[in-house]
Amino acid sequence: MPTSDVSTPPVHVTESAARRRAIYAGVIGNFIEWYDFGLYGFFAVTISVLFFPASDPTAALLSTFAVFALGFLIRPLGAFVFGWIGDRIGRRASLLAAVILMSLSTVLLGLLPTYASIGVWATVLLVALRMFQGLSAGGEYAGATIYVVEHAPRGWRGRYGSLSPAAVGVGTATAAVVSLIVTSSLTEADLSSWGWRIPFLLSGPLGVIAIILRMRIEESPEFQAVRDSGQVESAPLAEGFRVAKKSMATVFGWNMLNGVSFYMLTGFTVAYMMKVSELTYTASLSALAVALLFYTCVSPFYGLCVDKLSRRQVAMFSSLGMAAFAPLAFFLLQQQTFASSLLALMGIAFFAAGVTSIVAVSMVDLFPARIRFSAGAVPYQISIAVFGGTAPYVATWLGGTSVELAPGYYLALISLIAASVAWFGFKGVDENTNAELIARSAEGVEQ
């Protein structure tokens, strides 16, 4: 008697219906994942008081950002685990497990007792839940992006890929708006007592919706072809290191900028605007929400450019543009006006959207389907962990030095490094010209 397999699609649907379901399931998963993950950064100040009591508020805030970084350091393990599931069992199984883990972890965080209630155990449990969130995030973005792009019609990979960063922008912006509504509607005492929990608890019903959608999707056509041909890899990551080291290094190098730019924007700028720009929490969070919605709107534009131009052209524009704008952005933030701060954030968001648009297609363009999830997700998440997870901490430390624009100079330096990676790593790589590269990888020829 046949046994049930979570990777087996429940029903057969037409190709167009399968694409629609793939888009919905991938987009909502990324939306929820970054709604959940973004909340921690937006409530950093509150969390620092409730879980890291200290006589020095800056020290407490730095401890909070250190735990923020810890959630990233576990991501490579999540990429390995969920990548193995995605390349061995199927994309569908991996995506379903990832969104369940993230939603459950976030709801539990919203129920967590504070330091005043259970002492140091509150901090320990907070760290544990952040690690589970990081484990889930390690497989979500790469997996959902790969799954959606694998459903794209020929010549549409960039546009399909742009849906992932757009969903991330909407999810993070929604977290900002919900946080803003909660904080502006409650007194400081109520916020610290119970109000901060509401945005985290909302992850529950959102997660249920995502789980239902992902239970109804079919396997991606490219992985199904791998399975049908009997080419499923038993150790996809090891095979990636054997035949695709250059591509993995390219993903790692490019994502330095992706991690620093996006997480400096979402995990650092609110606290920075409150301290340096002397804006209220409401004004700071409002500026970030607008910038994230702008990020969402320009992502499809970049997706179209990726399809119509070369990957390298879009990568060079966004990285060099970020390098030039980053110091100016922090100069604008120091002008202590809402308009200048908003302009600074929107500028960073504009170039960050271009950076992320390349991420979406590179993990498909650079690797054959049989190792794609593992070989793409692991270097992506290692880079995000090292550079993205530490971005708020590093930026906070640099912001306290005598060099006023130090955080901007750091972002500019990372941008220039990423530009050099793009120049060499994306040369000749696009949907139409990378057939030889993929063929060589399939034959086991080292890049």
Side-chain angles (χ1 to χ4, degrees):
M1 183 176 179
T3 58
S4 175
D5 184 350
V6 70
S7 65
T8 303
V11 293
H12 176 72
V13 295
T14 65
E15 183 176 355
S16 59
R19 284 176 175 161
R20 287 195 300 272
R21 289 188 178 183
I23 291 172
Y24 297 151
V27 165
I28 194 171
N30 272 324
F31 170 87
I32 294 173
E33 198 85 17
W34 265 259
Y35 168 83
D36 293 350
F37 216 77
L39 287 177
Y40 186 91
F42 298 140
F43 282 95
V45 175
T46 301
I47 290 172
S48 69
V49 173
L50 295 176
F51 292 92
F52 299 94
S55 57
D56 183 356
T58 300
L61 186 59
L62 284 172
S63 297
T64 305
F65 281 142
V67 177
F68 182 86
L70 182 62
F72 282 80
L73 294 178
I74 201 69
R75 281 188 174 199
L77 177 60
F80 172 78
V81 171
F82 289 104
W84 185 87
I85 296 172
D87 284 330
R88 284 283 294 158
I89 301 174
R91 314 310 198 215
R92 176 176 176 264
S94 181
L95 295 181
L96 184 59
V99 78
I100 290 173
L101 182 60
M102 173 58 86
S103 299
L104 182 61
S105 300
T106 306
V107 170
L108 290 176
L109 197 155
L111 297 172
L112 196 62
T114 65
Y115 188 94
S117 299
I118 59 174
V120 70
W121 282 107
T123 306
V124 171
L125 291 172
L126 175 67
V127 170
L129 290 174
R130 283 294 296 169
M131 291 179 70
F132 282 123
Q133 283 186 321
L135 192 71
S136 170
E140 171 61 34
Y141 185 79
T145 299
I146 288 170
Y147 180 80
V148 170
V149 175
E150 284 181 340
H151 281 81
R154 186 169 182 80
W156 282 67
R157 280 184 177 175
R159 278 162 281 191
Y160 270 55
S162 70
L163 297 174
S164 289
V168 169
V170 173
T172 314
T174 301
V177 171
V178 171
S179 302
L180 180 61
I181 293 172
V182 170
T183 54
S184 62
S185 302
L186 300 174
T187 65
E188 186 173 344
D190 286 340
L191 179 66
S192 298
S193 176
W194 54 269
W196 68 273
R197 300 179 184 276
I198 296 174
F200 292 92
L201 296 176
L202 287 176
S203 180
L206 293 174
V208 170
I209 296 173
I211 291 167
I212 293 173
L213 285 174
R214 288 191 170 178
M215 289 180 67
R216 299 179 66 237
I217 60 175
E218 293 189 328
E219 191 51 79
S220 80
E222 293 193 36
F223 180 77
Q224 189 61 48
V226 170
R227 178 187 288 163
D228 292 343
S229 64
Q231 295 181 354
V232 174
E233 287 287 342
S234 59
L237 182 60
E239 180 68 4
F241 278 113
R242 189 174 75 85
V243 304
K245 289 193 290 291
K246 178 182 176 182
S247 293
M248 292 176 73
T250 298
V251 170
F252 175 88
W254 180 249
N255 276 287
M256 292 168 56
L257 177 54
N258 180 38
V260 171
S261 62
F262 188 79
Y263 289 103
M264 187 179 286
L265 177 68
T266 59
F268 168 71
T269 56
V270 170
Y272 187 82
M273 284 186 287
M274 292 173 64
K275 180 180 179 181
V276 176
S277 305
E278 298 185 358
L279 298 181
T280 64
Y281 180 74
T282 298
S284 300
L285 206 56
S286 297
L288 178 58
V290 172
L292 286 168
L293 291 175
F294 179 66
Y295 171 94
T296 298
C297 292
V298 298
S299 290
F301 164 75
Y302 277 112
L304 179 63
C305 290
V306 168
D307 286 331
K308 299 301 182 182
L309 305 173
S310 73
R311 274 58 168 159
R312 187 164 70 161
Q313 286 177 309
V314 178
M316 294 302 295
F317 171 80
S318 55
S319 57
L320 293 178
M322 183 73 81
F325 184 77
L328 175 60
F330 281 85
F331 171 79
L332 290 170
L333 287 170
Q334 293 177 1
Q335 302 312 298
Q336 299 182 339
T337 69
F338 178 82
S340 62
S341 297
L342 178 60
L343 180 60
L345 267 57
M346 290 182 68
I348 294 174
F350 175 76
F351 293 110
V355 172
T356 312
S357 70
I358 300 300
V359 174
V361 294
S362 66
M363 287 185 290
V364 175
D365 286 342
L366 291 171
F367 305 102
R370 61 194 176 87
I371 62 170
R372 182 174 291 154
F373 201 149
S374 298
V378 170
Y380 170 86
Q381 293 297 355
I382 292 175
S383 183
I384 292 294
V386 174
F387 295 98
T390 59
Y393 190 95
V394 172
T396 299
W397 180 80
L398 289 172
T401 66
S402 59
V403 181
E404 293 183 347
L405 302 183
Y409 293 141
Y410 174 63
L411 179 54
L413 174 62
I414 296 297
S415 300
L416 292 174
I417 295 172
S420 66
V421 171
W423 181 258
F424 294 103
F426 294 129
K427 182 179 181 180
V429 175
D430 58 49
E431 185 175 353
N432 298 315
T433 64
N434 72 340
E436 181 181 353
L437 179 150
I438 298 300
R440 292 176 67 219
S441 297
E443 293 168 3
V445 179
E446 183 177 322
Q447 294 179 30

